[in-house]
Amino acid sequence: MELVSQHVKGIMEECKLRARDQGLTFDDETLEYIVTNRDMIELSPKVMIPTLYDYWVHDVRVLSGKGMYEAYPSNPYETVINTRPAISFYNDNNPDWLNVMIFYHVLGHIDFFQNNFFYKNTWDIDLTGQALSDKRMIAQLRSEKGRWVDYIIEFSRGIDNLVGYQKELNQYIMKDTRHKLSKTDFYFDIFLQKIKNVPQHEYLKEITRFNAIINGSEDFFDQVIGKYPEFEELYKKELSIKVKPDQDVMEYILRFSPFLKEEENTWIKSVIQIVRNTSLYFQPQIRTKIMNEGWASYWHEYLFMRDDRICGHEIDFAKVNAAVTSMPKVGLNPYALGLRLFQHIKNMEDKGCYSFDYMFLNDEVGKKKYNQDKNSGAQFVLKVRENFNDFTFINTFIDQEFIAEHDLFVAGKRFNNSRMTWEFYIKSKKAEDYKEMIIDTLYHPPEIFVDKASSKKGILYLNHKFENKPLKMDFIENTMVGIEYLWGGPVHLETSEPVVSGKTETNHASFWDPASHKNGEKRSENIKWKRMLYVMENRKVHKREL
């Protein structure tokens, strides 16, 4: 692995100038490395971060990658990691024209990393330096504790999808913003409703009196204090209370586990914290896969098509670009979907279609001819890449016009008894159905929290906030074994499971497989959900109905 040559670096710097001219913003300093296919295979399990801690699962994936490469040789074009400075890796046999295209793609990624709101908690972190420190600590602990370090990593990674990413992001954003509860808000929202519990008619009477006062709120509160002398003291007390956010499962274990409080086990906290911090860092990438790849594809296509260095390589570019951004009829290509959706958003905004006038048009002819010549799409997509994640991106912008433009549909799968084969068919061409299908593929970990009221007598009680999808049954027992070890006592898990015709459905994978011939169209009408309690104690699990 080595830095790119000065010639190739010059190509990248020229690409930066052209990208900035079109509105992309990113740091001046970037690092580009030339790597072999073997390097790519060995670094991919570590998310291309050479300093990430070693773990046996990484080695398994390297062996799997080598086997796959021998069976299906291919050249990965690039990969880029969200660090400061941004680091990208390139294949060692790319021609110059291909590097131009790839550099534009990489700059799209870097722009997304450094401007998207959901990456804000990563902007001030030196990941490569922190990862190197973590790697050295893990290596030192392995020399002292042996295989127990890998057990802790294994158990921790079993629950690292339960980290409170949204809470952490909110805390990071609000750390420099102090919101002071106003006297008015305290009076109406807390004092009258929660402390005094006044009847509704009296509450409305106070609102009317407040609205009638023009000269400010002081005159209003003179009367309040006259009626409630304790008001000022209660308000000051409320201001002094510091609200502590709830801990996620990993945080709670780190703070309250009796097992980890024992002196000989305190080293385990360092390992759990490393796994948790690593998970938090990569949460934005998982939640913006379609946007991130679509944004990079949008810009490599837009900028390369306007670059004079394309001359003589138009057909080569078309072949490479088609392989990356072709839209499959069945399945999902995040590069293709994200690219076309950004293009659709720009075109719709250019014509002024994101307006009430357009929304209230009922005839298709009028919608096709609608054009207000706003030409503000270029700036609009920059705002979209700044403020959305995959869920809000898909949920907001996939519409019937987009479905019709690209002839998209939801595919169903059914068994043909006469031919004894599976067959695909067009199930729906509605935007809402297509949107739902895409949203169902997005990363959405279960919301499991610690029920503090039920966590008594050494029991860790976990509650699954049910969202109409059961937990993966195959993972429950092994995951709870790991949690029991880290907690040092019994673990209870409350969740919901489907019940059909009076029997608990035991094969959740088959139950939710849309391709299963047992899962008919009317199956959902017979589904009932029951709360179940899993109890893990002494590495044995049993469950009962609540």
Side-chain angles (χ1 to χ4, degrees), residues 347-355 358 370 372-374:
N347 292 336
M348 293 285 281
E349 176 63 19
D350 279 339
K351 294 187 293 185
C353 295
Y354 294 126
S355 63
Y358 181 83
Y370 190 88
Q372 298 299 310
D373 291 322
K374 283 186 66 176

Side-chain angles (χ1 to χ4, degrees), residues 27-78:
D27 292 346
D28 289 332
E29 188 177 355
T30 60
L31 293 174
E32 293 80 35
Y33 287 91
I34 291 293
V35 294
T36 64
N37 287 356
R38 179 180 293 274
D39 293 329
M40 288 281 196
I41 291 171
E42 292 181 353
L43 286 174
S44 291
K46 290 188 174 185
V47 207
M48 299 306 296
I49 300 174
T51 57
L52 200 67
Y53 63 86
D54 297 312
Y55 180 49
W56 70 268
V57 171
H58 297 157
D59 298 332
V60 172
R61 290 178 180 168
V62 168
L63 293 174
S64 175
K66 288 179 178 177
M68 183 66 70
Y69 180 76
E70 290 174 2
Y72 304 99
S74 61
N75 287 334
Y77 295 119
E78 52 76 28

Side-chain angles (χ1 to χ4, degrees), residues 61 101 193 283 292 475:
R61 290 178 180 168
M101 170 190 163
Q193 296 188 66
Q283 286 292 313
N292 198 347
F475 294 172

Side-chain angles (χ1 to χ4, degrees), residues 245-259:
D246 291 334
Q247 295 101 355
D248 58 46
V249 175
M250 294 187 80
E251 276 184 301
Y252 192 87
I253 290 173
L254 279 168
R255 184 170 181 182
F256 297 108
S257 166
F259 176 69

Side-chain angles (χ1 to χ4, degrees), residues 14 25 68 118 233 248 253 291 328 416 420 440 475 484 488 507 513:
E14 177 65 23
T25 57
M68 183 66 70
F118 292 90
E233 191 63 32
D248 58 46
I253 290 173
M291 281 192 74
N416 188 320
M420 297 299 291
D440 281 345
F475 294 172
E484 182 193 29
N507 188 353
D513 182 6

Side-chain angles (χ1 to χ4, degrees), residues 310-326:
I310 193 177
C311 293
H313 301 286
E314 291 85 351
I315 295 177
D316 296 325
F317 166 75
K319 289 180 180 179
V320 173
N321 191 51
V324 174
T325 63
S326 59

